[in-house]
Amino acid sequence: MEPLVDTLIEDARWQAIGIDDLAETVAQAVMAEHGLPGEGFEVSLLACDDRRIAALNEDFRGKPKPTNVLSWPSDERGAKADGGRPAIPKPGPEGMPEELGDIAIAYETCEREAGEQGKAMQDHVTHLLVHGMLHLLGYDHVRDADGDLMEATEVRILAKLGVNDPYVWTGAGWVPDELERNDGR
């Protein structure tokens, strides 16, 4: 079976948390949550640093600063009605997987946020990868009901992966502060 996630590691620090295996585990869990097979699809992941993601954030969102995760769906799959489920893609034929899109994740921002929120880096990155994958499947958080659906889906998937609900009080504050509903993706 071909991997679902094609990972390009630009910052070697990502290897210490096993970003390749973590991304594959997360992607498979997100697909399973939607009743989709773990094959017939492809996701590209760029594991980079703050400098690289800041450049991408400026190029694609007009925000010249680092962020934790960015995603670029290959197709518009969002729901028409606020709070509706996105259109679920179909797998591509054998040897020609359906491209879901690209995700970029920045090491320094993830490390800083995990520390500020008192979380294990792996748990925080798991959450951000789930978040990015859901964007590729058409979820967003621009409208309130869409955001509620996305959060509930994230929490359900994270629980299956053994990660606590990231949207509850941790003693360090409400989290995650970087996943704002108005961030555009």
Side-chain angles (χ1 to χ4, degrees):
M1 178 168 91
E2 289 291 315
L4 176 58
V5 181
D6 179 21
T7 303
L8 173 61
I9 300 174
E10 282 190 352
D11 186 321
R13 293 175 290 179
W14 282 110
Q15 292 171 334
I17 68 161
I19 192 70
D20 300 79
D21 292 338
L22 181 59
E24 187 68 24
T25 298
V26 165
Q28 293 291 341
V30 170
M31 301 306 271
E33 177 68 22
H34 293 87
L36 294 169
E39 51 192 31
F41 296 98
E42 183 177 67
V43 172
S44 295
L45 172 66
L46 174 64
C48 61
D49 61 14
D50 273 6
R51 192 173 75 174
R52 172 78 155 160
I53 211 162
L56 292 168
N57 204 18
E58 181 172 24
D59 289 349
F60 290 95
R61 296 176 61 221
K63 297 181 179 187
K65 63 180 186 173
T67 189
N68 48 25
V69 67
L70 293 171
S71 57
W72 298 270
S74 63
D75 203 0
E76 179 54 49
R77 297 179 180 95
K80 302 279 186 244
D82 189 9
R85 296 196 65 85
I88 299 301
K90 293 183 176 23
E94 189 173 334
M96 294 185 62
E98 173 71 19
E99 294 179 15
L100 296 178
D102 304 321
I103 298 171
I105 191 163
Y107 191 87
E108 294 96 335
T109 297
C110 291
E111 183 179 55
R112 177 182 50 78
E113 289 174 352
E116 289 171 356
Q117 297 169 16
K119 295 179 181 177
M121 173 77 159
Q122 189 151 348
D123 287 353
H124 187 54
V125 171
T126 298
H127 176 214
L128 295 173
L129 291 172
V130 168
H131 187 84
M133 278 292 300
L134 289 177
H135 276 310
L136 298 186
L137 291 178
Y139 288 79
D140 67 40
H141 38 80
V142 175
R143 301 176 299 191
D144 286 343
D146 290 339
D148 292 343
L149 175 64
M150 186 171 187
E151 273 185 27
T153 305
E154 286 175 7
V155 169
R156 201 169 42 253
I157 294 166
L158 290 168
K160 291 175 184 173
L161 292 169
V163 177
N164 292 331
D165 182 344
Y167 295 103
V168 298
W169 181 259
T170 65
W174 291 101
V175 293
D177 42 10
E178 289 294 320
L179 291 178
E180 301 167 9
R181 286 215 173 152
N182 61 356
D183 74 355
R185 265 282 156 209

